[in-house]
Amino acid sequence: QVQLEESGGGLVQAGGSLRLSCAASGRTFINLRAMGWFRQTPGKEREVVATITWSLGSTYYADSVKGRFTISRDNAKNTVYLQMNSLKPEDTAVYYCNAAIWGSNINTYWGQGTQVTVSS
């Protein structure tokens, strides 16, 4: 019922930058509690990269990306961004957008994933 549309992935050299975007749509009213970014590589568990709450904009970052990645939001567009700087080969993964949305219950939704590849 709610769709998350991701964009911004690609191939960059180590030290480069990318900006990911994710927009929530599909219902007339979408009451977001939080959005975030997760990533996954083959054979490994999906891990949280960064999250942001929609009320106060409180952020969380994985230790591996602190100081390099910045998560932000545009409340009017129901959109979350992930600015990725100083990219490393170990950042290579499929990045998934996630949204926690108020309804009769608090439901979570996932984007389709976008590939980020960092070459050395």
Side-chain angles (χ1 to χ4, degrees):
Q1 191 170 359
V2 175
Q3 293 81 43
L4 303 181
E5 298 293 333
E6 302 181 23
S7 63
L11 191 155
V12 296
Q13 292 183 325
S17 298
L18 284 173
R19 187 185 187 225
L20 306 183
S21 299
C22 177
S25 64
R27 296 206 304 234
T28 302
F29 301 102
I30 299 177
N31 190 357
L32 282 160
R33 180 171 187 170
M35 294 186 75
W37 292 95
F38 296 70
R39 66 187 182 187
Q40 187 170 25
T41 57
K44 296 183 179 180
E45 299 289 334
R46 186 173 297 183
E47 64 177 352
V48 62
V49 177
T51 63
I52 187 167
T53 65
W54 232 249
S55 56
L56 299 178
S58 302
T59 59
Y60 167 84
Y61 295 96
D63 288 342
S64 60
V65 306
K66 285 181 179 177
R68 300 188 297 118
F69 291 10
T70 302
I71 190 170
S72 61
R73 74 200 195 282
D74 186 329
N75 299 66
K77 297 180 179 179
N78 287 337
T79 298
V80 67
Y81 306 94
L82 186 67
Q83 179 67 46
M84 304 185 292
N85 298 325
S86 301
L87 283 162
K88 304 175 180 179
E90 51 263 44
D91 295 318
T92 296
V94 177
Y95 284 70
Y96 295 92
C97 178
N98 173 268
I101 299 176
W102 292 100
S104 57
N105 301 301
I106 299 176
N107 298 315
T108 59
Y109 298 86
W110 291 95
Q112 78 279 8
T114 184
Q115 177 70 47
V116 171
T117 302
V118 184
S119 64
S120 59

